[in-house]
Amino acid sequence: MIDTLAQALPHFRNTNSGQFFLMAGPCVIEGEDMALRIAEQVRRLTDRLQIPYVFKGSYRKANRSRIDSFTGIGDETALKILQKVGREIGVPTVTDIHESSEAALAAEYVDVLQIPAFLCRQTELLVAAAETGKVVNIKKGQFLSGEAMGFAVDKVKQSGNPHVILTDRGNSFGYTDLVVDFLNIPAMQRFGVPVVMDVTHSLQQPNQSSGVTGGKPEMIQTIASAAIAAGADGLFIETHPTPATAKSDGANMLQLDRLEKLLERLTRIREAVR
């Protein structure tokens, strides 16, 4: 799976290491200095551990509970920062898109277009992303089974784009929690695409009365370890130097200085189960 992804992403490093690949970065682009700092630190770790790395950052957050929630620093400003990260740090980049009209614009700046979980059935959006020729990472809806994601894969591939990733981010469990069914990993791998576990979003606690999503970051190691043991091709982890001050999703993010120890543990698990 990683070899296929490497063909689509020319800057994808360490593809022969046998390790999982990592999508990691802040929830949303807050500024250039922070984005470059995170990308540089994560790349240094992943190079040492021979983990292929894609920098993640949303250029805009369209799905917020409250009207006063932070949504971004401006589309073009954030996209140019993502482009700069890719060029200066030398890694592929991924960002979310929310409407079909955004696909061509975002594709000018990043290597992977990500479809948010709530939008994974939006045909026009999937087709627009596919037609850019970029890798398309589709997050599995919290309301869907792994098997149901085959239709989303078909929409992209039948639009002429073979480069698809599927990402699990848990399933709704009541109104304010999520649960991870690790059977979804092999179920989605049967479609012949790389499968990623979104560790940090799987630990969200949505629909809080405050209008701000909660989280259980103390369980990041547990979910990540189980995903690698279950055979996930990649992991998605949002990380920030100080999650408490992050402008979005700080409640479920991993503190940046804790990433090294986690990745070291996960590479050992990967080696044990290969």
Side-chain angles (χ1 to χ4, degrees), residues 177-193:
D177 209 350
L178 297 166
V179 64
V180 176
D181 179 0
F182 290 99
L183 295 177
N184 283 324
I185 293 175
M188 293 192 292
Q189 285 172 330
R190 294 189 187 104
F191 303 126
V193 300

Side-chain angles (χ1 to χ4, degrees), residues 22-39:
L22 176 69
M23 294 181 171
C27 176
V28 62
I29 298 298
E30 300 178 10
E32 181 177 305
D33 290 345
M34 179 177 291
L36 288 168
R37 172 187 170 189
I38 294 173

Side-chain angles (χ1 to χ4, degrees), residues 10 13 21 29-30 88 90 95-96 118 150 153 196 238 251:
R13 288 182 165 79
F21 64 91
I29 298 298
E30 300 178 10
E88 293 198 1
T95 199
D96 312 75
F118 284 130
V153 173
V196 174
E238 288 190 338

Side-chain angles (χ1 to χ4, degrees), residues 181-255:
D181 179 0
F182 290 99
L183 295 177
N184 283 324
I185 293 175
M188 293 192 292
Q189 285 172 330
R190 294 189 187 104
F191 303 126
V193 300
V195 172
V196 174
M197 173 56 69
D198 180 343
V199 178
T200 46
H201 285 101
S202 296
L203 293 167
Q204 284 184 332
Q205 294 176 304
N207 300 317
Q208 300 298 307
S209 59
S210 64
V212 178
T213 298
K216 297 179 282 188
E218 69 277 7
M219 300 300 291
I220 288 173
Q221 178 175 291
T222 299
I223 297 296
S225 299
I228 295 302
D233 299 293
L235 296 178
F236 180 108
I237 297 175
E238 288 190 338
T239 184
H240 192 283
T242 53
T245 65
K247 296 183 182 297
S248 179
D249 280 2
N252 53 270
M253 273 201 252
L254 178 68
Q255 189 166 308

